[in-house]
Amino acid sequence: MRISIFGLGYVGAVCAGCLSARGHDVIGVDISANKIDLINNGKSPIVEPGLEELLQQGLRQGRLRGTTDVAAAVLESDVSFICVGTPSKKNGDLELNYIEGVCREIGMAMRDKNERHTVVVRSTVLPGTAKNVVLPILEDCSGKKAGVDFGLAVNPEFLRESTAIKDYDFPPMTVIGELDKASGDLLASIYEELDAPIIRKDIEVAEMIKYTCNVWHAAKVTFANEIGNIAKAVGVDGREVMDVVCQDHKLNLSKYYMKPGFAFGGSCLPKDVRALNYRAGSLDVEAPLIGSLMRSNAAQVQKAFDIIASHDSRKVALLGLSFKAGTDDLRESPQVELAEMLIGKGFDLSIYDRNVEYARVHGANKEYIESKIPHVSSLLNSDLDDVVAKADIIVLGNSDERFAKLAEQAPSGKRVIDLVGFMPHASNGVAEGICW
C-alpha cells in the first residue's frame, strides 16, 4: 500500500521503517528539512536500536523517501498517518496546534485528489479530538464529506522507546477506531500479517483506550514507588514486596512497570496524565488518584535529591540523563529535573549518557539540548571512567547495562545511589537504593 507519514519523530520514524520493511511504499513528511535529509541519507533522526538498518533497507528497495511537500505526499499515497506531537499546555490540556496545522495541509491537498484518501490519527489525542477537531478541519479544507468522500480513523500506537521495533512487530493488540467500515478495513489490511488481535471500535473508544493504557502505566510506576518508600521506612526491601505482587498474573499486571524505582518521564506518561486529569476536572468528575500522580512523581525526584543531599560530599556523578536507557529522549526526563536541582543547590555535577552525547552532535534532539537545557548538557562527559573517578557520589540514573557493575560493587571510597534497581541487596554502608 502507498502510505504517507506526517511527523518523523519517534512514532513516525519507527512506523516509516517498519512499514517499508513490510513491503509498503512509504513517504515520510516533516517540516524539518534536517529530518528529511537524515531519512533520505539512511540516517535515523532518533536513537532507536535497529531503526537505521530498516530505514536504509527501505531506501535500497525504493520503498521509502522523505519530503517536505505535503501535497505531493497526499496525492501519491492512499492513506496518511498523522504522527505529529501533542505536547501539554500549561494547564495540562493538550496542545493541538500541530494536529490542526497538518490537518489543514492534508485537507487542502485532498481537494485536488479524485481518489478516496484515508486519514489516520496515530498521535495520542483525547477522546473527541478526531471528530471535533480533525474531522471538521479536513471537511472544511477539502470540501469533502468524511466517511463518504474520504476515510477517517484513529490507530493508537503502543510503542515503547528503545524497544519500539519489537513492539511494532509483536504488539499485544492492534486497536482501530473507525469512522466508517471502509476506513477500518483499510487499516486492518495493513496489520493483518501481525500475530496480534485486531480490535475495531468507535473512534472515541480507541482514543480512550490509548489514554487508559498510558495512565495505567503511570499509575503502576507511582504505586510501586509509594509502596517501596513505605517498605523502606519500616525496614523492608520494597522489591521483595512487589516481586510477590507481580506473581499474580491473573489480573494481567505487567512486571515491566511494577518495580519500585525512580520517577516516570518521557514524552507520553506525564503529558497524558495531565491531559486526562484536566478532562476529568472540566467534567466535574472526581479522580483523586490521577490528580495525585504528578505530585507523587515530583516527590520521587525530591526523594532522590534528598538522599544525595543527606551526604557530606558535593561531587556527584549522574549516570544516565535520558528518562530510560536506549533512548536520547530528554522530554520531561526526571533525570534532567534532578540534575537541575543539583545544579541549583551548588553541587559539583558531572553527567554521562552515551545516547544523549550522540544526540548532542547528530540527533533530532540536538536543538532541544542546545536551546532548552544548555546548562545541563554542558556538564556531559563522554568518558564514563573519568566521570566516576572524579565523583564521590555516583547516581545510577537509568538502566544502561554498563552501570550494573557499579551497583554490585561500589568503587573504593565512593557512595552509590541506585535509582534503577541494579543492587542485588538492600541499602548498606556504601550503596543505597531509592526504595530499598
Side-chain angles (χ1 to χ4, degrees), residues 131-146:
K131 285 189 176 179
N132 299 328
V133 178
V134 174
L135 187 152
I137 293 175
L138 290 173
E139 288 189 336
D140 181 62
C141 292
S142 68
K144 298 180 178 182
K145 181 69 174 177

Side-chain angles (χ1 to χ4, degrees), residues 64-260:
L64 173 65
R65 64 183 175 89
T67 184
T68 57
D69 190 335
V70 172
V74 172
L75 293 174
E76 296 172 23
S77 61
D78 305 304
V79 55
S80 293
F81 285 90
I82 296 176
C83 300
V84 298
T86 52
S88 291
K89 294 181 180 178
K90 289 183 178 180
N91 63 6
D93 195 10
L94 286 187
E95 177 59 73
L96 297 177
N97 286 345
Y98 301 125
I99 290 278
E100 293 169 354
V102 77
C103 285
R104 291 189 187 96
E105 292 187 285
I106 292 174
M108 292 300 295
M110 287 197 302
R111 183 181 290 270
D112 300 323
K113 185 172 183 177
N114 295 325
E115 300 84 3
R116 177 186 168 98
H117 194 79
T118 299
V119 179
V120 179
V121 179
R122 194 93 156 122
S123 302
T124 300
V125 294
L126 283 165
T129 302
K131 285 189 176 179
N132 299 328
V133 178
V134 174
L135 187 152
I137 293 175
L138 290 173
E139 288 189 336
D140 181 62
C141 292
S142 68
K144 298 180 178 182
K145 181 69 174 177
V148 179
D149 304 311
F150 68 89
L152 179 63
V154 169
N155 178 214
E157 48 81 21
F158 300 99
L159 307 176
R160 296 167 297 170
E161 295 177 21
S162 79
T163 59
I165 294 173
K166 181 179 179 181
D167 290 341
Y168 183 96
D169 290 335
F170 304 98
M173 60 187 175
T174 297
V175 177
I176 296 172
E178 56 193 47
L179 180 68
D180 58 284
K181 186 176 182 299
S183 298
D185 288 344
L186 182 144
L187 267 179
S189 70
I190 293 175
Y191 297 118
E192 62 185 0
E193 63 181 4
L194 296 178
D195 185 17
I198 294 178
I199 301 170
R200 296 171 66 165
K201 298 289 184 180
D202 291 338
I203 279 181
E204 294 90 346
V205 175
E207 290 170 322
M208 190 64 192
I209 286 171
K210 172 62 175 179
Y211 268 97
T212 302
C213 289
N214 272 10
V215 174
W216 172 229
H217 297 330
K220 287 184 284 186
V221 174
T222 300
F223 176 76
N225 285 340
E226 291 180 355
I227 293 297
N229 291 341
I230 296 169
K232 182 180 178 182
V234 298
V236 174
D237 188 331
R239 296 171 301 176
E240 288 189 59
V241 175
M242 292 309 301
D243 281 343
V244 174
V245 171
C246 288
Q247 290 179 34
D248 181 5
H249 294 165
K250 292 183 179 180
L251 298 180
N252 198 30
L253 299 178
S254 169
K255 292 185 67 175
Y256 182 84
Y257 290 100
M258 299 294 280
K259 297 177 182 178

